[in-house]
Coordinates of all heavy atoms in Angstrom, one line a residue:
G215 N -16.4 25.5 14.1 CA -17.5 26.2 13.6 C -17.9 27.3 14.4 O -17.2 27.8 15.4
I216 N -19.1 27.9 14.3 CA -19.5 29.0 15.0 C -20.9 28.8 15.6 O -21.9 28.5 14.8 CB -19.6 30.2 14.1 CG1 -18.3 30.5 13.6 CG2 -20.0 31.5 15.0 CD1 -18.2 31.7 12.5
T217 N -21.1 28.9 16.9 CA -22.4 28.7 17.5 C -23.0 30.2 17.6 O -22.4 31.2 18.0 CB -22.2 28.2 19.0 OG1 -21.8 26.9 18.8 CG2 -23.6 28.2 19.7
Q218 N -24.3 30.3 17.2 CA -25.0 31.7 17.3 C -25.5 31.8 18.6 O -26.1 31.0 19.2 CB -26.1 31.6 16.2 CG -26.9 33.0 16.2 CD -27.8 33.0 15.1 OE1 -27.5 32.8 14.0 NE2 -29.1 33.5 15.4
L219 N -25.2 33.0 19.2 CA -25.7 33.4 20.6 C -26.9 34.3 20.5 O -27.8 34.2 21.3 CB -24.5 34.1 21.3 CG -23.2 33.3 21.5 CD1 -22.3 34.2 22.3 CD2 -23.5 32.0 22.3
N220 N -26.9 35.2 19.4 CA -27.9 36.2 19.5 C -28.0 36.9 18.1 O -27.0 36.6 17.2 CB -27.7 37.3 20.6 CG -29.1 37.9 21.0 OD1 -30.1 37.7 20.3 ND2 -29.1 38.7 22.1
T221 N -28.9 37.7 17.8 CA -29.0 38.5 16.7 C -29.2 39.9 17.1 O -29.7 40.2 18.1 CB -30.1 38.0 15.6 OG1 -31.4 38.1 16.3 CG2 -29.9 36.7 15.2
T222 N -28.7 40.9 16.3 CA -28.9 42.3 16.5 C -29.8 43.0 15.6 O -30.1 44.2 16.0 CB -27.5 42.9 16.4 OG1 -27.1 42.9 15.1 CG2 -26.4 42.3 17.4
S223 N -30.3 42.5 14.5 CA -31.1 43.2 13.5 C -30.4 44.3 12.9 O -31.0 45.1 12.3 CB -32.4 43.7 14.2 OG -33.2 42.6 14.8
S224 N -29.1 44.2 12.9 CA -28.2 45.3 12.4 C -27.0 44.7 11.7 O -26.8 43.4 11.8 CB -27.7 46.3 13.4 OG -28.9 46.8 14.1
V225 N -26.2 45.4 11.0 CA -25.0 45.0 10.3 C -23.8 45.2 11.1 O -23.5 46.4 11.5 CB -24.9 45.5 8.9 CG1 -23.7 44.9 8.2 CG2 -26.2 45.2 8.1
A226 N -22.9 44.3 11.3 CA -21.6 44.3 12.1 C -20.7 45.2 11.3 O -20.5 44.9 10.2 CB -21.2 42.9 12.4
R227 N -20.0 46.2 12.0 CA -19.0 47.0 11.4 C -17.8 46.8 12.2 O -16.7 47.4 11.7 CB -19.5 48.4 11.4 CG -20.7 48.7 10.6 CD -21.3 50.0 11.0 NE -20.4 51.2 10.8 CZ -20.5 52.5 11.2 NH1 -21.7 52.7 11.9 NH2 -19.6 53.4 11.1
G228 N -17.7 46.2 13.2 CA -16.4 45.9 13.9 C -16.7 45.5 15.3 O -17.8 45.6 15.9
Q229 N -15.7 45.0 16.1 CA -15.8 44.5 17.4 C -14.5 44.7 18.2 O -13.4 44.7 17.6 CB -16.1 43.0 17.4 CG -16.3 42.3 18.7 CD -16.7 40.8 18.5 OE1 -17.7 40.3 19.2 NE2 -16.0 40.0 17.8
F230 N -14.5 44.9 19.4 CA -13.4 45.2 20.1 C -13.5 44.9 21.7 O -14.7 44.7 22.2 CB -12.8 46.5 20.0 CG -13.9 47.7 20.5 CD1 -13.7 48.2 21.8 CD2 -14.8 48.2 19.7 CE1 -14.6 49.2 22.3 CE2 -15.6 49.1 20.2 CZ -15.6 49.6 21.5
K231 N -12.5 44.6 22.3 CA -12.5 44.4 23.9 C -12.0 45.6 24.6 O -11.0 46.2 24.3 CB -11.7 43.2 24.2 CG -11.6 42.7 25.8 CD -11.0 41.6 26.0 CE -9.5 41.7 25.8 NZ -8.8 40.3 26.1
W232 N -12.9 46.1 25.6 CA -12.5 47.3 26.3 C -13.0 47.0 27.9 O -14.0 46.6 28.0 CB -13.1 48.5 25.7 CG -13.2 49.7 26.6 CD1 -14.3 50.3 27.1 CD2 -12.2 50.4 27.2 NE1 -14.1 51.4 27.9 CE2 -12.7 51.4 28.1 CE3 -10.6 50.2 27.3 CZ2 -12.0 52.3 28.7 CZ3 -10.0 51.1 27.9 CH2 -10.5 52.2 28.7
N233 N -12.1 47.2 28.8 CA -12.5 47.2 30.1 C -13.1 45.9 30.5 O -14.0 45.7 31.2 CB -13.5 48.4 30.4 CG -13.6 48.8 31.9 OD1 -12.7 48.5 32.6 ND2 -14.9 49.2 32.4
D234 N -12.5 44.8 30.0 CA -12.8 43.4 30.3 C -14.3 43.1 29.6 O -14.9 42.1 30.3 CB -12.8 43.1 31.7 CG -11.3 43.1 32.3 OD1 -10.4 42.8 31.5 OD2 -11.1 43.6 33.4
S235 N -14.8 43.8 28.7 CA -16.1 43.5 28.2 C -16.0 43.6 26.7 O -15.0 44.1 26.0 CB -17.2 44.5 28.7 OG -17.3 44.5 30.0
L236 N -16.9 43.0 26.0 CA -16.9 42.9 24.5 C -17.9 43.9 23.9 O -19.1 44.0 24.4 CB -17.4 41.4 24.2 CG -17.2 41.1 22.7 CD1 -15.7 40.9 22.4 CD2 -17.8 39.7 22.5
Y237 N -17.5 44.7 22.9 CA -18.3 45.7 22.3 C -18.4 45.5 20.8 O -17.5 45.0 20.3 CB -17.7 47.1 22.6 CG -17.7 47.5 24.0 CD1 -16.7 47.1 24.9 CD2 -18.8 48.4 24.4 CE1 -16.8 47.4 26.2 CE2 -18.7 48.8 25.8 CZ -17.8 48.3 26.7 OH -17.8 48.7 28.0
Q238 N -19.5 45.8 20.3 CA -19.6 45.8 18.7 C -20.2 47.1 18.2 O -21.0 47.7 19.0 CB -20.5 44.6 18.3 CG -19.9 43.2 18.7 CD -20.9 42.1 18.3 OE1 -22.0 42.3 17.8 NE2 -20.5 40.9 18.6
V239 N -19.8 47.5 17.0 CA -20.6 48.5 16.3 C -21.5 47.7 15.2 O -20.9 47.2 14.3 CB -19.7 49.5 15.7 CG1 -20.4 50.5 14.8 CG2 -18.8 50.2 16.9
V240 N -22.8 48.0 15.4 CA -23.7 47.4 14.5 C -24.6 48.4 13.9 O -25.3 49.2 14.6 CB -24.5 46.3 15.2 CG1 -23.6 45.1 15.5 CG2 -25.2 46.7 16.3
S241 N -24.6 48.5 12.6 CA -25.2 49.6 11.8 C -24.9 51.0 12.5 O -23.6 51.3 12.6 CB -26.8 49.5 11.9 OG -27.1 48.4 11.1
Q242 N -25.8 51.7 13.1 CA -25.3 53.0 13.8 C -25.4 53.0 15.3 O -25.5 54.0 15.9 CB -26.3 54.1 13.4 CG -26.0 54.7 12.0 CD -26.3 53.7 10.9 OE1 -27.4 53.3 10.8 NE2 -25.4 53.5 10.0
S243 N -25.2 51.7 15.9 CA -25.2 51.5 17.3 C -23.9 51.0 17.9 O -23.3 50.0 17.2 CB -26.4 50.6 17.7 OG -27.6 51.3 17.3
L244 N -23.5 51.5 19.0 CA -22.4 50.8 19.7 C -23.1 50.0 20.8 O -23.9 50.5 21.7 CB -21.5 51.8 20.4 CG -20.5 51.2 21.4 CD1 -19.4 50.4 20.6 CD2 -19.7 52.4 22.1
I245 N -22.8 48.6 20.8 CA -23.6 47.9 21.7 C -22.4 47.2 22.7 O -21.4 46.9 22.3 CB -24.5 46.7 21.1 CG1 -23.6 45.8 20.3 CG2 -25.6 47.4 20.2 CD1 -24.4 44.6 19.8
K246 N -22.9 46.8 23.9 CA -22.1 46.0 24.8 C -22.6 44.7 25.1 O -23.9 44.6 25.3 CB -21.9 46.9 26.0 CG -21.1 46.1 27.2 CD -21.0 47.0 28.5 CE -20.1 46.4 29.5 NZ -20.0 47.3 30.8
I247 N -21.8 43.6 24.9 CA -22.4 42.3 25.2 C -22.3 42.2 26.7 O -21.3 42.0 27.3 CB -21.5 41.2 24.5 CG1 -21.3 41.7 23.1 CG2 -22.1 39.9 24.6 CD1 -22.5 41.7 22.2
T248 N -23.6 42.0 27.2 CA -23.7 42.0 28.8 C -23.7 40.4 29.2 O -23.5 40.3 30.5 CB -24.9 42.7 29.2 OG1 -26.1 42.1 28.6 CG2 -24.9 44.3 28.9
N249 N -23.9 39.6 28.4 CA -23.9 38.2 28.7 C -23.3 37.4 27.7 O -24.0 37.2 26.6 CB -25.4 37.7 29.2 CG -25.3 36.4 29.7 OD1 -24.7 35.4 29.2 ND2 -26.2 36.1 30.7
V250 N -22.2 37.0 27.8 CA -21.5 36.2 26.7 C -21.9 34.8 26.5 O -21.6 34.2 25.5 CB -20.0 36.2 26.9 CG1 -19.3 37.6 26.8 CG2 -19.6 35.5 28.3
T251 N -22.7 34.3 27.4 CA -23.4 33.0 27.2 C -24.6 33.1 26.3 O -24.8 32.3 25.5 CB -23.8 32.4 28.6 OG1 -22.6 32.3 29.4 CG2 -24.4 31.1 28.4
T252 N -25.5 34.1 26.5 CA -26.6 34.3 25.7 C -26.6 35.2 24.6 O -27.3 35.3 23.7 CB -27.8 34.7 26.6 OG1 -27.5 36.0 27.2 CG2 -28.0 33.9 27.8
G253 N -25.4 36.1 24.6 CA -25.3 37.2 23.6 C -26.2 38.3 23.9 O -26.4 39.2 23.0
A254 N -26.7 38.4 25.1 CA -27.6 39.6 25.5 C -26.7 40.9 25.4 O -25.5 40.8 25.7 CB -28.2 39.5 26.8
F255 N -27.2 42.0 25.1 CA -26.5 43.2 24.9 C -27.4 44.4 25.2 O -28.6 44.4 25.3 CB -26.0 43.4 23.4 CG -27.1 43.5 22.4 CD1 -27.6 44.6 22.0 CD2 -27.5 42.3 21.8 CE1 -28.6 44.8 21.0 CE2 -28.6 42.3 20.8 CZ -29.0 43.6 20.5
S256 N -26.7 45.5 25.4 CA -27.3 46.8 25.8 C -26.8 47.8 24.7 O -25.5 47.6 24.3 CB -27.1 47.1 27.2 OG -25.7 47.3 27.5
T257 N -27.4 48.8 24.4 CA -27.0 49.8 23.5 C -26.4 51.0 24.3 O -26.9 51.6 25.1 CB -28.1 50.4 22.7 OG1 -28.7 49.3 21.9 CG2 -27.6 51.5 21.7
I258 N -25.1 51.4 23.9 CA -24.3 52.4 24.6 C -24.6 53.8 24.0 O -24.7 54.8 24.7 CB -22.9 52.1 24.6 CG1 -22.6 50.8 25.2 CG2 -22.0 53.1 25.3 CD1 -23.0 50.6 26.7
G259 N -24.6 53.7 22.6 CA -24.8 55.1 22.0 C -24.8 55.0 20.5 O -24.9 53.8 19.9
T260 N -24.6 56.1 19.7 CA -24.7 56.0 18.3 C -23.3 56.3 17.7 O -22.5 57.1 18.1 CB -25.7 57.3 17.8 OG1 -26.9 56.9 18.4 CG2 -25.7 57.4 16.3
I261 N -23.1 55.4 16.6 CA -21.8 55.6 15.9 C -22.2 55.8 14.4 O -22.9 55.1 13.8 CB -21.0 54.2 15.9 CG1 -20.6 54.0 17.3 CG2 -19.8 54.5 15.0 CD1 -19.6 54.9 18.0
A262 N -22.1 57.1 13.9 CA -22.5 57.5 12.7 C -21.8 56.6 11.5 O -20.8 56.1 11.7 CB -22.2 59.0 12.5
G263 N -22.4 56.7 10.3 CA -21.8 56.2 9.1 C -22.2 54.7 8.9 O -23.0 54.1 9.6
S264 N -21.4 54.1 7.9 CA -21.7 52.7 7.6 C -20.4 52.0 7.4 O -20.4 50.8 7.1 CB -22.6 52.7 6.3 OG -22.0 53.4 5.2
D265 N -19.2 52.7 7.4 CA -18.1 52.0 7.2 C -17.5 51.2 8.3 O -18.0 51.5 9.4 CB -16.9 53.1 6.7 CG -17.1 53.6 5.3 OD1 -17.7 52.9 4.5 OD2 -16.8 54.7 5.0
D266 N -16.6 50.3 8.1 CA -16.0 49.6 9.3 C -15.3 50.5 10.1 O -14.9 51.6 9.7 CB -15.0 48.5 8.8 CG -15.7 47.4 8.0 OD1 -17.0 47.3 8.2 OD2 -15.1 46.5 7.4
I267 N -15.2 50.1 11.4 CA -14.4 51.0 12.3 C -13.0 50.4 12.5 O -12.6 49.2 12.3 CB -15.2 50.9 13.6 CG1 -15.3 49.5 14.3 CG2 -16.6 51.5 13.4 CD1 -15.6 49.5 15.7

Side-chain angles (χ1 to χ4, degrees):
I216 306 172
T217 296
Q218 181 169 313
L219 302 178
N220 203 352
T221 59
T222 64
S223 301
S224 302
V225 179
R227 297 165 55 193
Q229 180 176 232
F230 61 96
K231 180 173 68 174
W232 160 244
N233 203 27
D234 296 324
S235 295
L236 195 65
Y237 295 79
Q238 296 180 1
V239 174
V240 293
S241 294
Q242 279 73 53
S243 296
L244 172 65
I245 65 172
K246 179 180 182 178
I247 311 303
T248 54
N249 187 319
V250 294
T251 300
T252 65
F255 61 88
S256 60
T257 300
I258 303 300
T260 299
I261 303 291
S264 59
D265 288 334
D266 291 348
I267 62 164

